[in-house]
C-alpha cells in the first residue's frame, strides 16, 4: 500500500548556472539571530511546484537575478562567524544562487497521478550540490524540469537558517511578481537585519522552556531512544487530506465547551494518532512542538517584511497514558495553553536561553509540526497559470500541514513513519470517520477528501 512509482531520470543538457543579483548589492557579514542559528534548522526547505505550461528559463533567470537584488542574502554563502566559532553568519558576497535546467520524460498528468505522497525518487527534481558540508551548499538552489507535455516542475531549496516558511513564501511571491510585472515595485520590501532579536546583555532566562534541553541532560532521558529509533528506520510517507467537513467533524467533538482553530484541532488529532501508532510506554512524557509566528507578538513588533526566522516552537506536553485515554478536547487545550505562553517576555527569554550553546531542541520524544497551509504558497503565478500541485519535495519524521490546490479550507497532513507504525497511524487518523460511516450517517471517505 505504500509503494510509489519511481520517477524517470532527469537529463541535464548544461551545467547549472550561478545567478547573481542584477545590480551590486551590500557586501557585508549578516548577523544571524539565535532563532536563525539553531542546529535544528541546518537544512533546506524544499518545495515542489507542478505547472501545466512551462515558463522560459531565460525569463526565470532574468527575474531571479532581479529579485536577488533585494533578497541578496540568498545569493551569499553561510560561514562560521569570525567572532564565535559556534555561530553562523551570512557572507553577503553576491556569489549567486544555483539554477539548474533539466528534462524529464513524463507528463504533468502522469506526475499528478503519483503526487499523492513524495518518494525518494523525487529528489531527482532538485539539483544535488556536491559539498563537503552543509555550509558549502548555496542558500538557494533552483531546478526547472521541463516535461514531455510542455509543462514544468519548479523545485527550490532554501536554507532554513536564512529564513522561515513565511520568508520562503515572501521570496517566491516576489520572484513570481517580478516575472509577471518586471517594472513594478515589490509588494513587500525585505528587512534583513536581525538585531531586533539580539539577546539581552547579560542574558536573562525567566521561564522554563520545555522545547529545549541541554546536551548534558540527554543521557538522563529514557525517551532519547525513540528519536534514534525513528531516525534509523526505513520510513514510508503518509499523506491525508482533511476537507472542511472532516475538520468540522473533529471540532464538533469539542463544541460547545471549547472553541478551537483548524490548526489546534488537526494538530491535537495528529499528535494523538502519532503517539498511539508508536505503542509508547504509558509513563513517557511526550511533546508536541509546533511553529508559531511571533512577528506581531514582540514589543515593538518586528519590522514589516522581516526576513529571517520569526517563529518559535510552541510546546505542548503530557504523558502518553493521558493523551491516548482522553478525548480530543484534552489535546486541544494543551495546544492552546502552549500558544498562550508565547508573549514578548517568553520569546525574549527563549532567545537568551539560546546563548547557551549546550542547549538544543528536545526531539527525544517529540512530534514536530510545521504549518505551511496558510502561507499562500499555493498561489504562485509565473505568468502561465497557477500550479496544478504544490507540496514538499521530501517527507521525514517532521509533520507538514500543506495547502490544497483549489480548496483553501482543506489541509493535507504529510509525515513519514516506520512501516509498522504507518499502517496504524493511517488507521487512527481515519478511524473516527469510519465509525461515522458505519453508523449510517452517509460519510464516505473517498468523497470527502481522504486519499
Amino acid at each position: 500500500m505504500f509503494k510509489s512509482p519511481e520517477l524517470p531520470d532527469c537529463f541535464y543538457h548544461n551545467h547549472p548556472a550561478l545567478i547573481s543579483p542584477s545590480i551590486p548589492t551590500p557586501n557585508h557579514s549578516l548577523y544571524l539571530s539565535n532563532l536563525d542559528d539553531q542546529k535544528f534548522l541546518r537544512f533546506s526547505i524544499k518545495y515542489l511546484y507542478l505547472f501545466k505550461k512551462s515558463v522560459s528559463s531565460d525569463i526565470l533567470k532574468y527575474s531571479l537575478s532581479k529579485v536577488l537584488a533585494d533578497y541578496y542574502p540568498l545569493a551569499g554563502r553561510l560561514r562560521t562567524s569570525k567572532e564565535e566559532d559556534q555561530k553562523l553568519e551570512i557572507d553577503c558576497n553576491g556569489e549567486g544562487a544555483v539554477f539548474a535546467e533539466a528534462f524529464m520524460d513524463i507528463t504533468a498528468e502522469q506526475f499528478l497521478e503519483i503526487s499523492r505522497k513524495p518518494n525518494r525518487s523525487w529528489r531527482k527534481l532538485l539539483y544535488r550540490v556536491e559539498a563537503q558540508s552543509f555550509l558549502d551548499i548555496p542558500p538557494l538552489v533552483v531546478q526547472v524540469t521541463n516535461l514531455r507535455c510542455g509543462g514544468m516542475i519548479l523545485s527550490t531549496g532554501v536554507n532554513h537558517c536564512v529564513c522561515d516558511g513565511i520568508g520562503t513564501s515572501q521570496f517566491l511571491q516576489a520572484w513570481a511578481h517580478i516575472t509577471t510585472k518586471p517594472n513594478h515595485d515589490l509588494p513587500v520590501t525585505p528587512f534583513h537585519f536581525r538585531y531586533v532579536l539580539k539577546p539581552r546583555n547579560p542574558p536573562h532566562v525567566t521561564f522554563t522552556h520545555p522545547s529545549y534541553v541541554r546536551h548534558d541532560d540527554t543521557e538522563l532521558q529514557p525517551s532519547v531512544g525513540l528519536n534514534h529509533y525513528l531516525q534509523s528506520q526505513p520510513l514510508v510517507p503518509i499523506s491525508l487530506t482533511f476537507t472542511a467537513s472532516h475538520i468540522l467533524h473533529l471540532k464538533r467533538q469539542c463544541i460547545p465547551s471549547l472553541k478551537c482553530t483548524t490548526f489546534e484541532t488537526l494538530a491535537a488529532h495528529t499528535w494523538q494518532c502519532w503517539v498511539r501508532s508508536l505503542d509508547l510506554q504509558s509513563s513517557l512524557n511526550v511533546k508536541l512542538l509546533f511553529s508559531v509566528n511571533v512577528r506581531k507578538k514582540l514589543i515593538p513588533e518586528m519590522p514589516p517584511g522581516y526576513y529571517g526566522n520569526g517563529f518559535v516552537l510552541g510546546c505542548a506536553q503530557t504523558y502518553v497514558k493521558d493523551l491516548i485515554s482522553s478525548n480530543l478536547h484534552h489535546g486541544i487545550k494543551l495546544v492552546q495553553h502552549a500558544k498562550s505562553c508565547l508573549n514578548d517576555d517568553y520569546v525574549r527569554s527563549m532567545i537568551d536561553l539560546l546563548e547557551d550553546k549546550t542547549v538544543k531542541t528536545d526531539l527525544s520524544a517529540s512530534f514536530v509540526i510545521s504549518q505551511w497551509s496558510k502561507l499562500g504558497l499555493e498561489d504562485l503565478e509565473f505568468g502561465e497559470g497557477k500550479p496544478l500541485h504544490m507540496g514538499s519535495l521530501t517527507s521525514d519524521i517532521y509533520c507538514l500541514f500543506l495547502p490544497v490546490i483549489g480548496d483553501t479550507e482543506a489541509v493535507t497532513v504529510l509525515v513519514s513513519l516506520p512501516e509498522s507504525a504507518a499502517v496504524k497511524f493511517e488507521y487512527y487518523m481515519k478511524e473516527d470517520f469510519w465509525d461515522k460511516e458505519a453508523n449510517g450517517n452517509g460519510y464516505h471517505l473517498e468523497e470527502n477528501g481522504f486519499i
Side-chain angles (χ1 to χ4, degrees), residues 48-149:
L48 179 150
Y49 286 91
L50 172 69
F51 294 93
K52 186 175 184 179
K53 189 174 180 181
S54 64
V55 179
S56 161
S57 291
D58 288 340
I59 290 174
L60 290 173
K61 289 178 187 177
Y62 174 74
S63 59
L64 179 59
S65 179
K66 287 193 69 174
V67 78
L68 285 175
D70 287 281
Y71 288 85
Y72 63 88
L74 290 172
R77 296 294 181 267
L78 281 171
R79 68 184 181 191
T80 303
S81 169
K82 296 176 181 178
E83 299 177 359
E84 298 181 57
D85 62 0
Q86 295 191 60
K87 190 164 183 62
L88 300 182
E89 63 185 18
I90 304 176
D91 179 14
C92 298
N93 55 19
E95 192 169 332
V98 174
F99 189 101
E101 299 175 66
F103 172 80
M104 181 174 281
D105 190 15
I106 192 173
T107 66
E109 288 73 19
Q110 288 171 331
F111 186 83
L112 272 178
E113 290 176 8
I114 62 172
S115 65
R116 292 181 175 182
K117 59 187 72 172
N119 65 60
R120 292 189 64 85
S121 73
W122 286 25
R123 297 172 189 268
K124 301 173 183 179
L125 293 166
L126 185 64
Y127 181 79
R128 180 182 174 87
V129 177
E130 295 297 331
Q132 292 186 340
S133 75
F134 168 78
L135 294 181
D136 297 324
I137 300 174
L140 175 61
V141 179
V142 173
Q143 178 170 319
V144 174
T145 305
N146 292 301
L147 308 178
R148 187 200 322 150
C149 61

Side-chain angles (χ1 to χ4, degrees), residues 5-56:
E6 290 279 309
L7 292 177
D9 289 336
C10 284
F11 295 94
Y12 297 92
H13 298 295
N14 300 297
H15 291 293
L18 281 178
I19 307 299
S20 298
S22 59
I23 59 174
T25 54
N27 190 339
H28 61 89
S29 297
L30 182 63
Y31 166 83
L32 294 180
S33 78
N34 284 349
L35 297 185
D36 298 315
D37 189 29
Q38 300 181 71
K39 287 186 171 62
F40 171 63
L41 299 184
R42 294 188 180 183
F43 65 94
S44 292
I45 305 171
K46 297 180 176 70
Y47 296 135
L48 179 150
Y49 286 91
L50 172 69
F51 294 93
K52 186 175 184 179
K53 189 174 180 181
S54 64
V55 179
S56 161

Side-chain angles (χ1 to χ4, degrees), residues 26 54 75 101 124 155 197 202 237 285 294 296 333:
S54 64
E101 299 175 66
K124 301 173 183 179
S155 299
L197 295 182
N285 185 49
V294 296
K296 295 185 178 181
K333 286 196 297 182

Side-chain angles (χ1 to χ4, degrees), residues 401-446:
F401 284 4
L402 298 167
V404 177
I405 299 293
D407 189 347
T408 58
E409 300 301 316
V411 178
T412 292
V413 176
L414 175 65
V415 67
S416 287
L417 285 164
E419 186 166 351
S420 59
V423 173
K424 290 183 284 187
F425 175 78
E426 187 166 355
Y427 173 82
Y428 293 139
M429 289 286 280
K430 297 178 178 180
E431 180 182 26
D432 186 61
F433 305 96
W434 276 326
D435 288 344
K436 185 174 177 67
E437 185 177 19
N439 289 335
N441 291 320
Y443 204 95
H444 190 266
L445 293 179
E446 288 292 335

Side-chain angles (χ1 to χ4, degrees), residues 191-206:
F191 183 90
H192 295 296
F193 300 99
R194 289 90 189 284
Y195 290 99
V196 65
L197 295 182
K198 285 205 76 170
R200 293 168 289 197
N201 189 13
H204 191 45
V205 181
T206 51

